[in-house]
Amino acid sequence: MIAGIIACAGPSVSSPAPPSPKTAAAVATDYYRAIAAQNYRQAFTYLAANARGPDGRRLTSQGFLQLAKIMESEAGQVTSFSVDVFHHLIVMTINRKKIGPYHAHLQLAREGHTWAITSIDRI
C-alpha cells in the first residue's frame, strides 16, 4: 500500500489591493457631479486647502458656498458637463439651464496620492 499526501488548497485569502489613486480627470468629474447635484459642501472637499477662486484669493468654505449659490441663481443648475485634460489643467465644458454652455478652468496638483483642485476660474 502506498501512502500519499494530498494537498488541498482552501480558498485563497489575500489582502485587498489598495484603491488606485484617482486621476485628475476623475477628481474634476466628481467635483462637477457634486455641483450638478447641488451638493456644494461635497464639491468643496475636492479643493486643496489653499485653493484660489476666480478673484485669485483663497477660497473658504463659506466663500465657495456663496459663489456656487450665486452662479446657480444667475446661470441655473448644471444640466451636463464634459472634461478635457491638459496635464494639470482641466477644461470643463458646462451646460447650465439659463446660460447654456461655457468653459471653466481647473488647476490641479498632487497632494500625496491624490489630486486636489488648486484654483478655479468659474463654478
Side-chain angles (χ1 to χ4, degrees):
M1 186 176 238
I2 300 175
I5 299 176
I6 300 174
C8 196
S12 160
V13 177
S14 63
S15 60
S20 301
K22 287 187 177 184
T23 64
V27 170
T29 298
D30 289 348
Y31 169 75
Y32 267 97
R33 281 185 182 143
I35 289 173
Q38 299 172 302
N39 188 346
Y40 303 122
R41 292 186 195 289
Q42 177 67 32
F44 186 76
T45 67
Y46 294 102
L47 301 182
N50 61 349
R52 305 283 172 197
D55 61 1
R57 293 189 302 188
R58 186 177 163 274
L59 276 172
T60 63
S61 175
Q62 189 62 29
F64 179 79
L65 290 173
Q66 275 184 304
L67 188 61
K69 288 178 181 184
I70 288 169
M71 188 67 178
E72 183 181 318
S73 142
E74 293 177 358
Q77 189 174 350
V78 171
T79 58
S80 65
F81 62 85
S82 63
V83 59
D84 288 310
V85 180
F86 302 95
H87 195 50
H88 294 112
L89 174 68
I90 304 286
V91 178
M92 303 296 299
T93 303
I94 303 143
N95 224 342
R96 288 188 179 258
K97 283 183 181 181
K98 294 180 184 176
I99 65 168
Y102 66 94
H103 292 107
H105 304 88
L106 311 175
Q107 288 283 337
L108 284 90
R110 297 282 280 172
E111 285 193 347
H113 296 289
T114 189
W115 289 91
I117 300 167
T118 59
S119 74
I120 61 173
D121 65 351
R122 297 177 87 176
I123 290 184

